[in-house]
Amino acid sequence: MASVKAPFNINVSHSKCKRAKRMILEKMEDSFADAYNKLEGYANELRSSNLGTDVVINISNDALSEGKRRFLRMYICFHALKMGFKSGLRPFIGLDGTFLKRKCKGQLLLQHSLDLKIGEEIAFILDMQKNLIDSAQLVLPEAHHRYCVRHIEANWCKRWGGGEYNKYLWWAVWSIYEEYFKDQLRNIGQVDENVDNNLIESFNSWIKESRFKPIIKIFEDNRVKVINMLREHESTVMSWSNDFSPQTMQLYSQYLNIANKCHVHSNGQEGYEANEDGDKHTMNMVVKRCTCRTWNLNGITCPHAIKAIQHNKMNPLIEIHRWYTK
């Protein structure tokens, strides 16, 4: 009543508002039901507009046993996205509880679309939902599982606040040795291992504007968001001054400064030793491994490897992983 009064200066009765609301809800209910009837046509349009796209619609087995057809879930993986993943993206997959509400009794469709096999060299970033973790481990037993630090940080700040404690958290995250990690935890004084695990569901946040709309409208809103996201990322990448991202080059420059203070020795083959402020590290240039573990973990040439490659009169940039390139 107030919403109509303010802009139009019209007085509407309470009963008329109730009738109008009922009419709107009935119309919305029809559009919601009709959208489910159009799902097969929508799926066919997606497949034809981006050949190779995987679209799977599941209906409820319980409803089928009663002679009814009831929508259960729908899965979409665009051909362009899965080809992009296979051709060079870093093998990290964020899996939110929004996608699998119950323990998966079959197979994760990601496994088929992205050719994940049994999960070798793939890392899942998950929330703490045990049924989701169990499902991923069941289908992809060789996959690694990690938790998003941004989510952990949010709960960390709720319990201990920011400031010094927050600094120690990130120092712990960046530790490449177990003893360094434990040192940062000791700095906190006490660490409760049962940190509240109620995580912010990023996907729910991403679809919050459309989640109350009919199902095809939800899919379309998110498809357009993905298109815009990819276009914006492409524009950003094309603005790079060289083949590597600015963040990669910033970290590489820091490593290069450290490398200038290192001394390196070669064994005459593919092995090297580097001394850095009294610490000694060894490298195997064939398997791209250094005992500092930095190169192994992030794919960016560590200071010791940089020094070894320079000793061999080559450009260290060639050993940065292609994940970080255009």
Side-chain angles (χ1 to χ4, degrees):
M1 292 166 66
S3 297
V4 175
K5 173 69 174 177
F8 303 114
N9 195 27
I10 297 175
N11 293 315
V12 182
S13 68
H14 189 267
S15 60
K16 186 171 289 187
C17 284
K18 289 184 67 174
R19 288 197 302 273
K21 179 180 178 181
R22 184 168 62 250
M23 291 169 62
I24 292 169
L25 290 175
E26 288 173 354
K27 187 174 181 179
M28 287 180 63
E29 190 65 32
D30 290 340
S31 65
F32 273 77
D34 189 49
Y36 285 101
N37 294 328
K38 295 176 180 177
L39 272 182
E40 284 292 350
Y42 179 69
N44 290 332
E45 185 66 24
L46 289 178
R47 296 187 188 103
S48 63
S49 63
N50 191 198
L51 296 178
T53 292
D54 295 330
V55 185
V56 180
I57 301 174
N58 291 155
I59 58 178
S60 169
N61 288 330
D62 293 339
L64 276 178
S65 64
E66 300 172 3
K68 302 176 182 177
R69 290 173 58 86
R70 183 179 302 133
F71 174 82
L72 182 63
R73 63 173 64 93
M74 185 169 177
Y75 168 84
I76 301 170
C77 185
F78 291 107
H79 177 74
L81 294 179
K82 64 182 181 182
M83 289 300 101
F85 181 87
K86 292 178 182 179
S87 65
L89 292 187
R90 195 166 189 170
F92 281 121
I93 297 175
L95 194 59
D96 195 291
T98 304
F99 299 105
L100 296 175
K101 289 296 186 182
R102 301 177 182 174
K103 186 170 181 179
C104 182
K105 297 179 180 179
Q107 290 188 334
L108 285 174
L109 291 170
L110 278 168
Q111 180 193 38
H112 168 72
S113 295
L114 301 181
D115 193 25
L116 301 182
K117 300 181 174 63
I118 59 173
E120 312 98 306
E121 300 183 1
I122 292 291
F124 280 103
I125 301 178
L126 304 164
D127 61 16
M128 300 289 191
Q129 293 188 43
K130 190 175 188 304
N131 56 354
L132 193 60
I133 298 171
D134 289 344
S135 298
Q137 289 177 335
L138 179 66
V139 178
L140 302 165
E142 295 297 319
H144 301 279
H145 301 91
R146 298 292 181 266
Y147 302 117
C148 177
V149 182
R150 289 292 185 187
H151 290 152
I152 296 173
E153 181 188 31
N155 292 301
W156 181 282
C157 292
K158 288 177 184 177
R159 183 174 292 270
W160 290 299
E164 290 294 304
Y165 290 122
N166 199 47
K167 177 178 68 176
Y168 292 136
L169 167 67
W170 284 97
W171 283 355
V173 169
W174 281 99
S175 298
I176 55 177
Y177 297 116
E178 185 177 359
E179 57 267 31
Y180 293 169
F181 176 79
K182 291 179 178 178
D183 284 344
Q184 303 311 322
L185 297 187
R186 291 190 195 101
N187 287 332
I188 298 171
Q190 60 175 2
V191 177
D192 183 351
E193 294 182 355
N194 298 313
V195 176
D196 181 15
N197 291 326
N198 293 322
L199 303 180
I200 300 169
E201 294 189 348
S202 58
F203 184 74
N204 281 339
S205 175
W206 204 60
I207 68 169
K208 66 181 179 181
E209 295 178 0
S210 61
R211 60 189 304 180
F212 299 107
K213 297 178 182 179
I215 187 167
I216 291 180
K217 184 61 177 173
I218 292 175
F219 287 139
E220 279 296 280
D221 283 359
N222 290 324
R223 183 183 63 83
V224 172
K225 278 190 174 185
V226 169
I227 290 173
N228 290 331
M229 179 182 67
L230 294 178
R231 188 196 70 248
E232 291 166 4
H233 286 185
E234 182 182 29
S235 298
T236 300
V237 169
M238 297 310 293
S239 70
W240 293 354
S241 58
N242 56 37
D243 284 340
F244 298 97
S245 72
Q247 295 87 345
T248 299
M249 293 307 300
Q250 183 180 12
L251 193 57
Y252 174 78
S253 296
Q254 295 174 14
Y255 291 167
L256 189 61
N257 290 334
I258 298 173
N260 292 332
K261 303 175 185 177
C262 296
H263 301 279
V264 71
H265 306 281
S266 170
N267 67 2
Q269 299 178 15
E270 297 297 333
Y272 290 83
E273 290 184 3
N275 293 311
E276 177 200 345
D277 294 332
D279 292 331
K280 182 179 291 186
H281 295 281
T282 61
M283 289 141 283
N284 185 317
M285 306 306 290
V286 175
V287 297
K288 297 179 174 56
R289 292 288 186 270
C290 178
T291 53
C292 78
R293 301 187 71 235
T294 302
W295 194 12
N296 322 10
L297 290 172
N298 67 18
I300 300 176
T301 325
C302 69
H304 318 108
I306 290 175
K307 194 68 174 180
I309 295 169
Q310 288 176 334
H311 181 270
N312 209 22
K313 294 182 172 55
M314 296 178 66
N315 184 358
L317 286 173
I318 65 174
E319 294 296 349
I320 296 179
H321 202 284
R322 65 182 184 134
W323 296 328
Y324 300 105
T325 68
K326 285 183 180 179

